[in-house]
């Protein structure tokens, strides 16, 4: 099985045209005609991730966040990105990233969050159609049972393995309808309100956006890494279904640059 076949399976699930205009999803580093020795699945690509791939005999790294967002004018030891590129090239490790195309795809990042929260009737809100495919940056669904706001927040923390949550004033009505957007999803807050969500879960939100929504919607912000790190399970399922002979390994390296005290 060649790397290009794995890449094709990933891009069939989350076509590159679904990515945002500023993004750089797809092949990052490497020669796709090489045979796959194993695929290491991760959120971010760092030097430690490349080292783990080498240790585990994987010559393919599949990440959610692209290693390369903008062009490099040199490859040296000047920055962490340059060092990671240099190490991957030297070790013959191919890097592929599925970013906002996976965010926007049916069955993508936000559907994974909804699955972990136990939401039903999940669908896009503020959806759009690209190349004949319905897609969107966030999804909305229904909890199995209405929850008080504090119980809902504890449920989110447990299911998403988050240490903490930043929230606005606790809602004084049961939460049933939940909108989610992994990563930096604050741009969808108003859309979530218009869609009739009782709560909005995301990874990042600007300070001033917490104002003005008291008793309108429960905001729950758990951290960028925490909201998206289960994306590796999506990669695993895609590859195991389309390329069952390819060994997949979910990375053990925690690449979250933020720690909580």
């Amino acid at each position: 099985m060649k790397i290009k076949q794995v890449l094709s399976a990933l891009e069939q699930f989350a076509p590159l045209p679904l990515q945002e205009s500023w993004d750089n999803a797809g092949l990052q580093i490497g020669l796709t005609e090489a045979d796959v020795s194993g695929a290491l699945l991760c959120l971010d690509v760092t030097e430690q991730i490349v080292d783990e791939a080498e240790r585990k005999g994987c010559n393919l790294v599949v990440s959610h966040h692209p290693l390369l967002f903008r062009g490099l004018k040199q490859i040296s030891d000047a920055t962490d990105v340059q060092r990671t590129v240099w190490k991957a090239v030297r070790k013959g490790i191919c890097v592929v990233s599925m970013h906002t195309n996976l965010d926007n795809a049916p069955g993508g990042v936000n559907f994974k969050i909804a699955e972990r929260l136990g939401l039903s009737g999940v669908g896009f809100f503020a959806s759009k159609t690209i190349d004949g495919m319905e897609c969107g940056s966030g999804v909305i669904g229904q909890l199995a049972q209405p929850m008080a706001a504090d119980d809902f927040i504890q449920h989110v923390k447990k299911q998403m393995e988050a240490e903490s949550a930043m929230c606005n004033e606790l809602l004084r009505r049961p939460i049933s309808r939940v909108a989610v957007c992994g990563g930096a999803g604050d741009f969808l807050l108003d859309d979530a309100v218009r869609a009739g969500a009782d709560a909005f879960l995301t990874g990042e939100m600007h300070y001033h956006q917490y104002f003005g929504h008291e008793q309108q919607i429960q905001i729950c912000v758990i951290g960028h890494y925490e909201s998206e790190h289960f994306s590796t399970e999506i990669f695993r399922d895609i590859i195991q279904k389309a390329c069952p002979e390819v060994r997949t390994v979910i990375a053990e390296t925690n690449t979250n640059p933020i720690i909580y005290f």
Side-chain angles (χ1 to χ4, degrees):
M1 180 68 66
K2 299 202 179 289
I3 287 173
K4 68 179 182 181
Q5 293 171 276
V6 178
L7 178 58
S8 175
L10 292 166
E11 291 184 1
Q12 282 185 343
F13 183 91
L16 293 182
L18 300 190
Q19 70 180 309
E20 302 297 333
S21 60
W22 46 264
D23 201 5
N24 186 40
L27 178 65
Q28 306 277 296
I29 297 170
L31 304 178
T32 61
E33 288 290 344
D35 292 334
V36 186
S37 62
L40 184 74
L41 316 175
C42 60
L43 188 68
D44 310 285
V45 187
T46 63
E47 291 185 85
Q48 291 74 27
I49 285 289
V50 175
D51 289 337
E52 182 177 349
E54 183 185 37
R55 284 197 312 272
K56 294 181 176 176
C58 298
N59 66 345
L60 173 62
V61 168
V62 180
S63 72
H64 181 46
H65 294 147
L67 173 61
L68 301 173
F69 266 112
R70 47 189 69 86
L72 298 177
K73 293 189 176 181
Q74 65 176 15
I75 298 177
S76 67
D77 61 353
T79 68
D80 60 326
V81 171
Q82 290 182 38
R83 289 191 298 271
T84 304
V85 169
W86 178 244
K87 180 172 282 191
V89 171
R90 282 193 299 113
K91 295 180 182 297
I93 293 173
C94 187
V95 177
V96 168
S97 302
M98 299 284 114
H99 190 213
T100 52
N101 54 323
L102 191 68
D103 290 331
N104 291 333
V109 173
N110 298 306
F111 286 85
K112 174 58 68 173
I113 297 171
E115 175 190 307
R116 293 197 65 84
L117 296 183
L119 302 185
S120 62
V122 178
F124 295 111
F125 65 100
S127 66
K128 52 194 174 185
T129 300
I130 298 176
D131 289 353
M133 179 182 286
E134 184 187 9
C135 58
S137 300
V139 301
I140 191 166
Q142 201 81 11
L143 287 167
Q145 297 290 335
M147 290 184 177
D150 53 347
D151 291 333
F152 170 73
I153 293 162
Q154 292 302 321
H155 175 65
V156 168
K157 288 170 58 180
K158 179 180 178 181
Q159 295 305 119
M160 298 303 295
E161 298 180 3
E163 292 185 45
S164 61
M166 294 186 291
C167 307
N168 63 342
E169 178 181 277
L170 294 185
L171 205 63
R172 293 192 292 273
R173 70 170 191 269
I175 292 172
S176 296
R177 195 160 167 79
V178 180
V180 303
C181 180
D186 53 8
F187 67 98
L188 281 178
L189 176 60
D190 291 338
D191 290 306
V193 172
R194 284 191 288 270
D198 300 308
F200 179 58
L201 169 64
T202 190
E204 291 184 46
M205 182 169 289
H206 287 90
Y207 171 80
H208 292 286
Q209 290 181 284
Y210 287 84
F211 288 101
H213 298 287
E214 297 80 8
Q215 298 311 309
Q216 181 186 54
I217 191 169
Q218 182 65 63
I219 296 169
C220 184
V221 180
I222 59 173
H224 199 122
Y225 179 92
E226 288 79 3
S227 72
E228 294 185 327
H229 66 113
F230 292 109
S231 302
T232 54
E233 296 179 359
I234 306 173
F235 297 143
R236 179 197 62 199
D237 293 346
I238 294 168
I239 297 170
Q240 287 183 350
K241 181 178 180 180
C243 312
E245 59 269 58
V246 173
R247 181 171 57 95
T248 56
V249 181
I250 292 178
E252 295 179 291
T253 302
N254 184 328
T255 59
N256 193 353
I258 299 170
I259 59 174
Y260 301 89
F261 283 96

